[in-house]
Amino acid sequence: MQSSANLSQPGFSVPIAIRTRPLSRPAHTVFHMAETEIYAQGSRAGAIYRIEFGAVRIHRLLADGRRQIVAFHVAGETFGFEAGAVRSFFAECIVATGLTSLDYAGQDHYEPELMEMALRGLVRAQEHLLVIGRQQSLEKMAVFLMDLAERQGGLDSVDLVMSRTDIGDYLGMTIETVSRSISKLRSLGILRLKSLRCIEILEIEKLRQLAS
Amino acid sequence: MQSSANLSQPGFSVPIAIRTRPLSRPAHTVFHMAETEIYAQGSRAGAIYRIEFGAVRIHRLLADGRRQIVAFHVAGETFGFEAGAVRSFFAECIVATGLTSLDYAGQDHYEPELMEMALRGLVRAQEHLLVIGRQQSLEKMAVFLMDLAERQGGLDSVDLVMSRTDIGDYLGMTIETVSRSISKLRSLGILRLKSLRCIEILEIEKLRQLAS
DNA sequence: CGCTGAGTTGAAATAGCTCAACTCCTGTGG
DNA sequence: CCACAGGAGTTGAGCTATTTCAACTCAGCG
């Protein structure tokens, strides 16, 4: 795993605190290297994290060695809610990421905005179910790209911070099928690859139609 | 659809209120016929429901006519949380069901137990992703049955309140594959069908192993 | 400038889907 | 109480999409 290689680099194994703009409570951005762990399954829950920059994946390892990514999160989003005191998923940085954290557990009352964030995560997970439940790989990929484009600000250019393997583990398909789906969309004239990790959407309407 | 047939029965189209034990706030159980709608996608959100008896499915209809069930809920569970003011899913009774409702929207502060219920829904949806993401239909069925058995009190006998079609739409597979998976588990000596809708688990360890 | 990992592409194998026939409950009405 | 009708579920056969296995290309990096 690449993460262990990164973790072994001296001076970067421990997150570095960087002072940023003051919030309602004094918050500071903590820097995390790419491919490093934010929290592990089984660890103590209680904090949530807001992504200042970068991207994060939430996943679980299955007994047979496979991995299911249940969510990607990008800048501006909040993750880390758990039911109960123990985390049931792993959170890892995909790229270099800045996080601010907030201890939310054990409060007498919760702010409506906190509830709203938790519920948005719920809806997002349920929407993800709609995608994974589909059988057509091309549709899955179309929905994935539409969603990502939207979250990155609605541009016609999508920055794939995650690897094909990550995408596969997110959509429930192999990296070969991921690759073939992208190739198919490319041959249909819907996409153009600026580079392997940067996709330009040429025909957003056709893509939307595939995504239904 | 059977629901319309049931809805057309005079005297049952409107839910009937039945007085039950008093709660912290005066709550009464509302009775719903099998196969009737509790709320629709697009309707106004704001209330959550606790199931006193019966079973409920949460789903969405896709553009191509397919249906994805994102959750089943049984007695004792609470459903109906939404992010935003509009419902993004349908809720329907699978069988005759008694519900107590609670208006939760627009509060200044939320009780920890309310947050906990919402978060449990989140984790449940994410766990569901792990199941649907798997490619083996036998595994999906094994996980589904284990989960259902557990929620029904850990007995070795599972009461399938939902149809094979419901199960298929929940697990992302066709009813034929659902049927074949059950038949396979039966031929492996893991299950026995007391009736079509009542399954006895003979070899819980083997089932757990399949479910990983 | 070659090495390495990521990504792509091809060919064969396979799991699940589709279509179709059939069985078996269940409930309704005579 | 039995017969029948209709829906739900099962099973079979062929087909298709995706997985698997393998070879190959490409980009980034020391």
Side-chain angles (χ1 to χ4, degrees), chain A residues 149-183:
Chain A
E150 203 170 297
R151 286 158 77 182
Q152 286 182 3
L155 300 170
D156 60 350
S157 179
V158 182
D159 188 29
L160 292 180
V161 287
M162 67 292 287
S163 67
R164 303 291 193 266
T165 305
D166 282 345
I167 298 172
D169 289 348
Y170 180 72
L171 296 177
M173 51 206 238
T174 61
I175 59 167
E176 291 94 335
T177 305
V178 169
S179 184
R180 275 185 256 267
S181 302
I182 293 176
S183 297

PDB file of all heavy atoms in Angstrom, chain A residues 149-183:
ATOM      1  N   ALA A 149     -18.824  16.512 -11.292  1.00  0.00           N
ATOM      2  CA  ALA A 149     -18.760  17.802 -11.984  1.00  0.00           C
ATOM      3  C   ALA A 149     -19.566  18.849 -11.220  1.00  0.00           C
ATOM      4  O   ALA A 149     -19.105  19.983 -11.018  1.00  0.00           O
ATOM      5  CB  ALA A 149     -19.294  17.658 -13.408  1.00  0.00           C
ATOM      6  N   GLU A 150     -20.738  18.437 -10.770  1.00  0.00           N
ATOM      7  CA  GLU A 150     -21.612  19.346 -10.035  1.00  0.00           C
ATOM      8  C   GLU A 150     -20.956  19.817  -8.744  1.00  0.00           C
ATOM      9  O   GLU A 150     -20.979  21.001  -8.408  1.00  0.00           O
ATOM     10  CB  GLU A 150     -22.912  18.610  -9.723  1.00  0.00           C
ATOM     11  CG  GLU A 150     -24.112  19.503  -9.475  1.00  0.00           C
ATOM     12  CD  GLU A 150     -25.376  18.674  -9.413  1.00  0.00           C
ATOM     13  OE1 GLU A 150     -25.714  18.042 -10.431  1.00  0.00           O
ATOM     14  OE2 GLU A 150     -25.999  18.637  -8.342  1.00  0.00           O
ATOM     15  N   ARG A 151     -20.358  18.864  -8.020  1.00  0.00           N
ATOM     16  CA  ARG A 151     -19.752  19.196  -6.734  1.00  0.00           C
ATOM     17  C   ARG A 151     -18.490  20.027  -6.890  1.00  0.00           C
ATOM     18  O   ARG A 151     -18.051  20.684  -5.948  1.00  0.00           O
ATOM     19  CB  ARG A 151     -19.434  17.912  -5.963  1.00  0.00           C
ATOM     20  CG  ARG A 151     -20.685  17.263  -5.403  1.00  0.00           C
ATOM     21  CD  ARG A 151     -20.472  15.807  -5.126  1.00  0.00           C
ATOM     22  NE  ARG A 151     -19.712  15.571  -3.913  1.00  0.00           N
ATOM     23  CZ  ARG A 151     -19.364  14.361  -3.496  1.00  0.00           C
ATOM     24  NH1 ARG A 151     -19.711  13.302  -4.173  1.00  0.00           N
ATOM     25  NH2 ARG A 151     -18.673  14.215  -2.388  1.00  0.00           N
ATOM     26  N   GLN A 152     -17.896  19.964  -8.062  1.00  0.00           N
ATOM     27  CA  GLN A 152     -16.685  20.757  -8.276  1.00  0.00           C
ATOM     28  C   GLN A 152     -17.024  22.129  -8.837  1.00  0.00           C
ATOM     29  O   GLN A 152     -16.155  22.852  -9.307  1.00  0.00           O
ATOM     30  CB  GLN A 152     -15.716  20.014  -9.201  1.00  0.00           C
ATOM     31  CG  GLN A 152     -15.029  18.846  -8.499  1.00  0.00           C
ATOM     32  CD  GLN A 152     -14.037  18.142  -9.396  1.00  0.00           C
ATOM     33  OE1 GLN A 152     -13.805  18.554 -10.526  1.00  0.00           O
ATOM     34  NE2 GLN A 152     -13.452  17.072  -8.885  1.00  0.00           N
ATOM     35  N   GLY A 153     -18.284  22.479  -8.850  1.00  0.00           N
ATOM     36  CA  GLY A 153     -18.663  23.826  -9.238  1.00  0.00           C
ATOM     37  C   GLY A 153     -19.349  23.926 -10.578  1.00  0.00           C
ATOM     38  O   GLY A 153     -19.502  25.007 -11.123  1.00  0.00           O
ATOM     39  N   GLY A 154     -19.765  22.787 -11.127  1.00  0.00           N
ATOM     40  CA  GLY A 154     -20.551  22.806 -12.340  1.00  0.00           C
ATOM     41  C   GLY A 154     -19.792  23.141 -13.604  1.00  0.00           C
ATOM     42  O   GLY A 154     -20.370  23.518 -14.610  1.00  0.00           O
ATOM     43  N   LEU A 155     -18.479  23.005 -13.558  1.00  0.00           N
ATOM     44  CA  LEU A 155     -17.688  23.276 -14.752  1.00  0.00           C
ATOM     45  C   LEU A 155     -17.810  22.105 -15.733  1.00  0.00           C
ATOM     46  O   LEU A 155     -18.228  21.017 -15.351  1.00  0.00           O
ATOM     47  CB  LEU A 155     -16.217  23.480 -14.365  1.00  0.00           C
ATOM     48  CG  LEU A 155     -15.973  24.633 -13.397  1.00  0.00           C
ATOM     49  CD1 LEU A 155     -14.547  24.604 -12.890  1.00  0.00           C
ATOM     50  CD2 LEU A 155     -16.271  25.962 -14.103  1.00  0.00           C
ATOM     51  N   ASP A 156     -17.402  22.331 -16.968  1.00  0.00           N
ATOM     52  CA  ASP A 156     -17.464  21.255 -17.950  1.00  0.00           C
ATOM     53  C   ASP A 156     -16.203  20.395 -17.902  1.00  0.00           C
ATOM     54  O   ASP A 156     -16.003  19.527 -18.723  1.00  0.00           O
ATOM     55  CB  ASP A 156     -17.683  21.828 -19.357  1.00  0.00           C
ATOM     56  CG  ASP A 156     -16.551  22.760 -19.753  1.00  0.00           C
ATOM     57  OD1 ASP A 156     -15.737  23.095 -18.870  1.00  0.00           O
ATOM     58  OD2 ASP A 156     -16.494  23.140 -20.920  1.00  0.00           O
ATOM     59  N   SER A 157     -15.374  20.663 -16.900  1.00  0.00           N
ATOM     60  CA  SER A 157     -14.138  19.922 -16.764  1.00  0.00           C
ATOM     61  C   SER A 157     -14.089  19.273 -15.371  1.00  0.00           C
ATOM     62  O   SER A 157     -14.279  19.954 -14.366  1.00  0.00           O
ATOM     63  CB  SER A 157     -12.960  20.867 -16.945  1.00  0.00           C
ATOM     64  OG  SER A 157     -11.756  20.176 -16.791  1.00  0.00           O
ATOM     65  N   VAL A 158     -13.882  17.968 -15.355  1.00  0.00           N
ATOM     66  CA  VAL A 158     -13.886  17.237 -14.086  1.00  0.00           C
ATOM     67  C   VAL A 158     -12.478  16.801 -13.720  1.00  0.00           C
ATOM     68  O   VAL A 158     -11.771  16.207 -14.530  1.00  0.00           O
ATOM     69  CB  VAL A 158     -14.789  15.985 -14.169  1.00  0.00           C
ATOM     70  CG1 VAL A 158     -14.837  15.268 -12.844  1.00  0.00           C
ATOM     71  CG2 VAL A 158     -16.184  16.372 -14.617  1.00  0.00           C
ATOM     72  N   ASP A 159     -12.096  17.120 -12.504  1.00  0.00           N
ATOM     73  CA  ASP A 159     -10.788  16.743 -11.991  1.00  0.00           C
ATOM     74  C   ASP A 159     -10.937  15.460 -11.194  1.00  0.00           C
ATOM     75  O   ASP A 159     -11.526  15.456 -10.117  1.00  0.00           O
ATOM     76  CB  ASP A 159     -10.254  17.873 -11.104  1.00  0.00           C
ATOM     77  CG  ASP A 159      -8.831  17.633 -10.693  1.00  0.00           C
ATOM     78  OD1 ASP A 159      -8.096  16.973 -11.469  1.00  0.00           O
ATOM     79  OD2 ASP A 159      -8.457  18.080  -9.602  1.00  0.00           O
ATOM     80  N   LEU A 160     -10.423  14.366 -11.743  1.00  0.00           N
ATOM     81  CA  LEU A 160     -10.512  13.082 -11.045  1.00  0.00           C
ATOM     82  C   LEU A 160      -9.365  12.963 -10.051  1.00  0.00           C
ATOM     83  O   LEU A 160      -8.268  12.554 -10.410  1.00  0.00           O
ATOM     84  CB  LEU A 160     -10.448  11.925 -12.039  1.00  0.00           C
ATOM     85  CG  LEU A 160     -11.613  11.723 -13.004  1.00  0.00           C
ATOM     86  CD1 LEU A 160     -11.334  10.521 -13.891  1.00  0.00           C
ATOM     87  CD2 LEU A 160     -12.902  11.536 -12.250  1.00  0.00           C
ATOM     88  N   VAL A 161      -9.634  13.329  -8.819  1.00  0.00           N
ATOM     89  CA  VAL A 161      -8.560  13.231  -7.828  1.00  0.00           C
ATOM     90  C   VAL A 161      -8.273  11.775  -7.486  1.00  0.00           C
ATOM     91  O   VAL A 161      -7.179  11.439  -7.063  1.00  0.00           O
ATOM     92  CB  VAL A 161      -8.919  14.000  -6.537  1.00  0.00           C
ATOM     93  CG1 VAL A 161      -8.845  15.492  -6.768  1.00  0.00           C
ATOM     94  CG2 VAL A 161     -10.282  13.599  -6.006  1.00  0.00           C
ATOM     95  N   MET A 162      -9.276  10.911  -7.669  1.00  0.00           N
ATOM     96  CA  MET A 162      -9.128   9.511  -7.268  1.00  0.00           C
ATOM     97  C   MET A 162      -8.688   8.618  -8.432  1.00  0.00           C
ATOM     98  O   MET A 162      -8.902   8.963  -9.602  1.00  0.00           O
ATOM     99  CB  MET A 162     -10.430   8.988  -6.660  1.00  0.00           C
ATOM    100  CG  MET A 162     -11.596   8.885  -7.617  1.00  0.00           C
ATOM    101  SD  MET A 162     -12.231  10.479  -8.184  1.00  0.00           S
ATOM    102  CE  MET A 162     -13.075  11.051  -6.713  1.00  0.00           C
ATOM    103  N   SER A 163      -8.081   7.495  -8.088  1.00  0.00           N
ATOM    104  CA  SER A 163      -7.609   6.555  -9.110  1.00  0.00           C
ATOM    105  C   SER A 163      -8.774   5.764  -9.696  1.00  0.00           C
ATOM    106  O   SER A 163      -9.885   5.776  -9.159  1.00  0.00           O
ATOM    107  CB  SER A 163      -6.608   5.585  -8.484  1.00  0.00           C
ATOM    108  OG  SER A 163      -7.265   4.752  -7.554  1.00  0.00           O
ATOM    109  N   ARG A 164      -8.513   5.052 -10.780  1.00  0.00           N
ATOM    110  CA  ARG A 164      -9.523   4.168 -11.374  1.00  0.00           C
ATOM    111  C   ARG A 164      -9.939   3.092 -10.373  1.00  0.00           C
ATOM    112  O   ARG A 164     -11.104   2.677 -10.329  1.00  0.00           O
ATOM    113  CB  ARG A 164      -8.974   3.498 -12.638  1.00  0.00           C
ATOM    114  CG  ARG A 164      -8.493   4.466 -13.712  1.00  0.00           C
ATOM    115  CD  ARG A 164      -9.625   5.221 -14.343  1.00  0.00           C
ATOM    116  NE  ARG A 164      -9.225   5.928 -15.559  1.00  0.00           N
ATOM    117  CZ  ARG A 164      -8.844   7.188 -15.610  1.00  0.00           C
ATOM    118  NH1 ARG A 164      -8.770   7.916 -14.501  1.00  0.00           N
ATOM    119  NH2 ARG A 164      -8.509   7.757 -16.761  1.00  0.00           N
ATOM    120  N   THR A 165      -8.989   2.638  -9.580  1.00  0.00           N
ATOM    121  CA  THR A 165      -9.282   1.637  -8.552  1.00  0.00           C
ATOM    122  C   THR A 165     -10.284   2.184  -7.540  1.00  0.00           C
ATOM    123  O   THR A 165     -11.241   1.495  -7.161  1.00  0.00           O
ATOM    124  CB  THR A 165      -7.986   1.213  -7.830  1.00  0.00           C
ATOM    125  OG1 THR A 165      -7.045   0.758  -8.801  1.00  0.00           O
ATOM    126  CG2 THR A 165      -8.260   0.105  -6.821  1.00  0.00           C
ATOM    127  N   ASP A 166     -10.067   3.431  -7.122  1.00  0.00           N
ATOM    128  CA  ASP A 166     -11.008   4.079  -6.201  1.00  0.00           C
ATOM    129  C   ASP A 166     -12.404   4.157  -6.819  1.00  0.00           C
ATOM    130  O   ASP A 166     -13.406   3.858  -6.170  1.00  0.00           O
ATOM    131  CB  ASP A 166     -10.531   5.494  -5.846  1.00  0.00           C
ATOM    132  CG  ASP A 166      -9.409   5.487  -4.819  1.00  0.00           C
ATOM    133  OD1 ASP A 166      -9.195   4.435  -4.179  1.00  0.00           O
ATOM    134  OD2 ASP A 166      -8.737   6.517  -4.670  1.00  0.00           O
ATOM    135  N   ILE A 167     -12.447   4.572  -8.074  1.00  0.00           N
ATOM    136  CA  ILE A 167     -13.737   4.696  -8.760  1.00  0.00           C
ATOM    137  C   ILE A 167     -14.434   3.341  -8.814  1.00  0.00           C
ATOM    138  O   ILE A 167     -15.629   3.224  -8.554  1.00  0.00           O
ATOM    139  CB  ILE A 167     -13.560   5.268 -10.185  1.00  0.00           C
ATOM    140  CG1 ILE A 167     -12.958   6.671 -10.118  1.00  0.00           C
ATOM    141  CG2 ILE A 167     -14.886   5.302 -10.927  1.00  0.00           C
ATOM    142  CD1 ILE A 167     -12.574   7.245 -11.471  1.00  0.00           C
ATOM    143  N   GLY A 168     -13.666   2.319  -9.147  1.00  0.00           N
ATOM    144  CA  GLY A 168     -14.218   0.968  -9.203  1.00  0.00           C
ATOM    145  C   GLY A 168     -14.783   0.524  -7.870  1.00  0.00           C
ATOM    146  O   GLY A 168     -15.899   0.003  -7.798  1.00  0.00           O
ATOM    147  N   ASP A 169     -14.039   0.771  -6.813  1.00  0.00           N
ATOM    148  CA  ASP A 169     -14.491   0.369  -5.481  1.00  0.00           C
ATOM    149  C   ASP A 169     -15.676   1.200  -5.013  1.00  0.00           C
ATOM    150  O   ASP A 169     -16.431   0.792  -4.137  1.00  0.00           O
ATOM    151  CB  ASP A 169     -13.344   0.497  -4.461  1.00  0.00           C
ATOM    152  CG  ASP A 169     -12.277  -0.561  -4.670  1.00  0.00           C
ATOM    153  OD1 ASP A 169     -12.518  -1.506  -5.439  1.00  0.00           O
ATOM    154  OD2 ASP A 169     -11.196  -0.453  -4.060  1.00  0.00           O
ATOM    155  N   TYR A 170     -15.826   2.380  -5.599  1.00  0.00           N
ATOM    156  CA  TYR A 170     -16.959   3.232  -5.268  1.00  0.00           C
ATOM    157  C   TYR A 170     -18.212   2.797  -6.009  1.00  0.00           C
ATOM    158  O   TYR A 170     -19.306   2.759  -5.442  1.00  0.00           O
ATOM    159  CB  TYR A 170     -16.618   4.686  -5.627  1.00  0.00           C
ATOM    160  CG  TYR A 170     -17.691   5.703  -5.348  1.00  0.00           C
ATOM    161  CD1 TYR A 170     -18.004   6.078  -4.048  1.00  0.00           C
ATOM    162  CD2 TYR A 170     -18.382   6.303  -6.383  1.00  0.00           C
ATOM    163  CE1 TYR A 170     -18.984   7.022  -3.796  1.00  0.00           C
ATOM    164  CE2 TYR A 170     -19.365   7.254  -6.135  1.00  0.00           C
ATOM    165  CZ  TYR A 170     -19.660   7.605  -4.841  1.00  0.00           C
ATOM    166  OH  TYR A 170     -20.637   8.538  -4.597  1.00  0.00           O
ATOM    167  N   LEU A 171     -18.057   2.428  -7.279  1.00  0.00           N
ATOM    168  CA  LEU A 171     -19.212   2.097  -8.115  1.00  0.00           C
ATOM    169  C   LEU A 171     -19.525   0.599  -8.140  1.00  0.00           C
ATOM    170  O   LEU A 171     -20.489   0.169  -8.760  1.00  0.00           O
ATOM    171  CB  LEU A 171     -18.983   2.592  -9.543  1.00  0.00           C
ATOM    172  CG  LEU A 171     -18.870   4.103  -9.711  1.00  0.00           C
ATOM    173  CD1 LEU A 171     -18.564   4.454 -11.154  1.00  0.00           C
ATOM    174  CD2 LEU A 171     -20.161   4.785  -9.259  1.00  0.00           C
ATOM    175  N   GLY A 172     -18.672  -0.182  -7.490  1.00  0.00           N
ATOM    176  CA  GLY A 172     -18.909  -1.623  -7.471  1.00  0.00           C
ATOM    177  C   GLY A 172     -18.626  -2.281  -8.809  1.00  0.00           C
ATOM    178  O   GLY A 172     -19.403  -3.078  -9.294  1.00  0.00           O
ATOM    179  N   MET A 173     -17.511  -1.917  -9.408  1.00  0.00           N
ATOM    180  CA  MET A 173     -17.093  -2.577 -10.644  1.00  0.00           C
ATOM    181  C   MET A 173     -15.575  -2.623 -10.708  1.00  0.00           C
ATOM    182  O   MET A 173     -14.890  -1.966  -9.920  1.00  0.00           O
ATOM    183  CB  MET A 173     -17.704  -1.874 -11.858  1.00  0.00           C
ATOM    184  CG  MET A 173     -17.509  -0.373 -11.915  1.00  0.00           C
ATOM    185  SD  MET A 173     -18.799   0.457 -12.874  1.00  0.00           S
ATOM    186  CE  MET A 173     -17.837   1.285 -14.130  1.00  0.00           C
ATOM    187  N   THR A 174     -15.037  -3.415 -11.620  1.00  0.00           N
ATOM    188  CA  THR A 174     -13.588  -3.582 -11.707  1.00  0.00           C
ATOM    189  C   THR A 174     -12.956  -2.381 -12.422  1.00  0.00           C
ATOM    190  O   THR A 174     -13.633  -1.642 -13.126  1.00  0.00           O
ATOM    191  CB  THR A 174     -13.240  -4.858 -12.502  1.00  0.00           C
ATOM    192  OG1 THR A 174     -13.759  -4.736 -13.821  1.00  0.00           O
ATOM    193  CG2 THR A 174     -13.818  -6.081 -11.819  1.00  0.00           C
ATOM    194  N   ILE A 175     -11.651  -2.233 -12.248  1.00  0.00           N
ATOM    195  CA  ILE A 175     -10.964  -1.111 -12.888  1.00  0.00           C
ATOM    196  C   ILE A 175     -11.018  -1.250 -14.405  1.00  0.00           C
ATOM    197  O   ILE A 175     -11.081  -0.256 -15.120  1.00  0.00           O
ATOM    198  CB  ILE A 175      -9.497  -0.977 -12.429  1.00  0.00           C
ATOM    199  CG1 ILE A 175      -8.704  -2.248 -12.748  1.00  0.00           C
ATOM    200  CG2 ILE A 175      -9.409  -0.661 -10.964  1.00  0.00           C
ATOM    201  CD1 ILE A 175      -7.203  -2.039 -12.590  1.00  0.00           C
ATOM    202  N   GLU A 176     -11.021  -2.469 -14.893  1.00  0.00           N
ATOM    203  CA  GLU A 176     -11.129  -2.675 -16.346  1.00  0.00           C
ATOM    204  C   GLU A 176     -12.453  -2.126 -16.865  1.00  0.00           C
ATOM    205  O   GLU A 176     -12.503  -1.459 -17.895  1.00  0.00           O
ATOM    206  CB  GLU A 176     -11.014  -4.163 -16.689  1.00  0.00           C
ATOM    207  CG  GLU A 176      -9.631  -4.762 -16.465  1.00  0.00           C
ATOM    208  CD  GLU A 176      -9.516  -5.406 -15.096  1.00  0.00           C
ATOM    209  OE1 GLU A 176     -10.269  -4.984 -14.196  1.00  0.00           O
ATOM    210  OE2 GLU A 176      -8.694  -6.319 -14.935  1.00  0.00           O
ATOM    211  N   THR A 177     -13.526  -2.417 -16.135  1.00  0.00           N
ATOM    212  CA  THR A 177     -14.841  -1.932 -16.562  1.00  0.00           C
ATOM    213  C   THR A 177     -14.915  -0.413 -16.443  1.00  0.00           C
ATOM    214  O   THR A 177     -15.514   0.250 -17.292  1.00  0.00           O
ATOM    215  CB  THR A 177     -15.951  -2.594 -15.730  1.00  0.00           C
ATOM    216  OG1 THR A 177     -15.800  -4.008 -15.819  1.00  0.00           O
ATOM    217  CG2 THR A 177     -17.330  -2.208 -16.232  1.00  0.00           C
ATOM    218  N   VAL A 178     -14.271   0.135 -15.413  1.00  0.00           N
ATOM    219  CA  VAL A 178     -14.187   1.592 -15.280  1.00  0.00           C
ATOM    220  C   VAL A 178     -13.513   2.169 -16.521  1.00  0.00           C
ATOM    221  O   VAL A 178     -14.026   3.082 -17.170  1.00  0.00           O
ATOM    222  CB  VAL A 178     -13.378   1.987 -14.023  1.00  0.00           C
ATOM    223  CG1 VAL A 178     -13.071   3.477 -14.029  1.00  0.00           C
ATOM    224  CG2 VAL A 178     -14.142   1.613 -12.766  1.00  0.00           C
ATOM    225  N   SER A 179     -12.396   1.585 -16.864  1.00  0.00           N
ATOM    226  CA  SER A 179     -11.618   2.061 -18.008  1.00  0.00           C
ATOM    227  C   SER A 179     -12.419   1.951 -19.306  1.00  0.00           C
ATOM    228  O   SER A 179     -12.465   2.894 -20.111  1.00  0.00           O
ATOM    229  CB  SER A 179     -10.339   1.237 -18.111  1.00  0.00           C
ATOM    230  OG  SER A 179      -9.514   1.716 -19.137  1.00  0.00           O
ATOM    231  N   ARG A 180     -13.067   0.807 -19.478  1.00  0.00           N
ATOM    232  CA  ARG A 180     -13.863   0.603 -20.689  1.00  0.00           C
ATOM    233  C   ARG A 180     -15.037   1.572 -20.766  1.00  0.00           C
ATOM    234  O   ARG A 180     -15.385   2.053 -21.852  1.00  0.00           O
ATOM    235  CB  ARG A 180     -14.371  -0.845 -20.739  1.00  0.00           C
ATOM    236  CG  ARG A 180     -13.371  -1.803 -21.347  1.00  0.00           C
ATOM    237  CD  ARG A 180     -13.956  -3.204 -21.481  1.00  0.00           C
ATOM    238  NE  ARG A 180     -13.448  -4.095 -20.464  1.00  0.00           N
ATOM    239  CZ  ARG A 180     -12.387  -4.890 -20.625  1.00  0.00           C
ATOM    240  NH1 ARG A 180     -11.744  -4.888 -21.769  1.00  0.00           N
ATOM    241  NH2 ARG A 180     -11.972  -5.673 -19.667  1.00  0.00           N
ATOM    242  N   SER A 181     -15.634   1.861 -19.617  1.00  0.00           N
ATOM    243  CA  SER A 181     -16.759   2.802 -19.604  1.00  0.00           C
ATOM    244  C   SER A 181     -16.299   4.184 -20.058  1.00  0.00           C
ATOM    245  O   SER A 181     -16.963   4.838 -20.857  1.00  0.00           O
ATOM    246  CB  SER A 181     -17.357   2.890 -18.205  1.00  0.00           C
ATOM    247  OG  SER A 181     -17.791   1.624 -17.768  1.00  0.00           O
ATOM    248  N   ILE A 182     -15.159   4.609 -19.529  1.00  0.00           N
ATOM    249  CA  ILE A 182     -14.621   5.908 -19.913  1.00  0.00           C
ATOM    250  C   ILE A 182     -14.285   5.923 -21.402  1.00  0.00           C
ATOM    251  O   ILE A 182     -14.598   6.866 -22.122  1.00  0.00           O
ATOM    252  CB  ILE A 182     -13.387   6.253 -19.058  1.00  0.00           C
ATOM    253  CG1 ILE A 182     -13.813   6.463 -17.599  1.00  0.00           C
ATOM    254  CG2 ILE A 182     -12.682   7.497 -19.586  1.00  0.00           C
ATOM    255  CD1 ILE A 182     -12.667   6.718 -16.639  1.00  0.00           C
ATOM    256  N   SER A 183     -13.663   4.837 -21.859  1.00  0.00           N
ATOM    257  CA  SER A 183     -13.323   4.738 -23.278  1.00  0.00           C
ATOM    258  C   SER A 183     -14.566   4.817 -24.148  1.00  0.00           C
ATOM    259  O   SER A 183     -14.570   5.483 -25.195  1.00  0.00           O
ATOM    260  CB  SER A 183     -12.595   3.421 -23.551  1.00  0.00           C
ATOM    261  OG  SER A 183     -11.365   3.379 -22.856  1.00  0.00           O
TER     262      SER A 183
END
